[in-house]
Amino acid sequence: PHSPLMTYEAMSLDVQHLLSRLGIAKCILLGHSMGGKTAMTLALQRPDLVERLISVDISPVTTAPVSEFSAYISAMKSVKIPDGLSRSAARQLADDQLRPVVQLPQLRQFLLTNLVEVEGRYVWRVNLEAICHHLADIMNFPVFHKPYPGPALFLGGSNSPYISSKDYPEIQRLFPKADVQHIAGAGHIVHQDKFEEFITAVLNFLPPP
């Protein structure tokens, strides 16, 4: 369910509750972007629950300087779709309305996966209000003093600014066993841009079966 609270501590608790409900005592946790920051938060709060950590194209630092996130949220909020359209027509209309702000076609496609039909009306599945209210929290990263002792992989896209060399000292401080890799030719959505290379890098990081 949607919650008005959207901090990394709150999202980490969501994952903790899920692990408990699924009966998973220890996991290998992979997260992308905001999910990566949630995964890092959980690993730092409860290292006993996380065997290994994979953070995809995000560092444990403030990401505001390189983010166009707030513009995307505003664009999504301003999308208007009349009732009664077919799913394909609704998606096309939303795509047209997002295009001036979200120029990358693959990023628009990614955002459009969140457009859903509810009782004949098209709405965004994500809680845009909560995201708006917590943008500062989402862009920042909580303060931690005790590092995560397990293996960690920071897997970035070479064409993305979200894991840069200036972040390495903080990655090293919080994740002393971190390995930082970049996949050539990938942007922020690494797993979409370079799927095969992404899967290979993840599998190589996993423990042998």
Side-chain angles (χ1 to χ4, degrees), residues 82-167:
D83 296 350
L85 285 187
S86 69
R87 181 165 171 71
S88 58
R91 274 185 74 117
Q92 187 57 57
L93 188 58
D95 191 41
D96 294 342
Q97 291 178 40
L98 289 173
R99 189 176 290 114
V101 178
V102 188
Q103 272 118 27
L104 277 176
Q106 62 266 46
L107 185 53
R108 285 200 308 279
Q109 291 309 307
F110 179 67
L111 295 177
L112 286 168
T113 60
N114 291 289
L115 188 69
V116 293
E117 189 183 359
V118 178
E119 293 168 3
R121 294 180 60 240
Y122 286 92
V123 295
W124 295 108
R125 151 173 49 203
V126 289
N127 189 346
L128 290 177
E129 288 308 317
I131 294 171
C132 268
H133 291 145
H134 289 279
L135 261 182
D137 291 306
I138 292 165
M139 293 301 157
N140 287 328
F141 188 71
V143 175
F144 290 99
H145 300 291
K146 198 174 173 200
Y148 167 70
L153 172 65
F154 285 77
L155 190 56
S158 68
N159 298 344
S160 169
Y162 285 99
I163 299 178
S164 81
S165 54
K166 69 180 190 323
D167 305 336

Side-chain angles (χ1 to χ4, degrees), residues 18-87:
L18 179 66
L19 290 173
S20 167
R21 243 174 71 183
L22 296 175
I24 297 171
K26 200 156 194 172
C27 68
I28 296 170
L29 198 54
L30 182 153
H32 167 254
S33 200
M34 183 171 72
K37 283 191 171 183
T38 302
M40 285 187 265
T41 300
L42 175 55
L44 289 160
Q45 284 179 329
R46 293 289 308 274
D48 54 303
L49 295 176
V50 182
E51 183 188 326
R52 282 169 188 246
L53 170 74
I54 305 163
S55 177
V56 182
D57 209 55
I58 203 76
S59 295
V61 298
T62 299
T63 42
V66 291
S67 181
E68 293 141 335
F69 200 62
S70 52
Y72 300 156
I73 299 300
S74 300
M76 288 170 78
K77 282 178 84 169
S78 63
V79 165
K80 298 276 182 290
I81 298 171
D83 296 350
L85 285 187
S86 69
R87 181 165 171 71

Side-chain angles (χ1 to χ4, degrees), residues 189-201:
I189 310 173
V190 187
H191 46 289
Q192 185 182 55
D193 293 348
K194 294 286 177 181
F195 179 72
E196 299 287 339
E197 294 90 333
F198 170 80
I199 293 295
T200 301

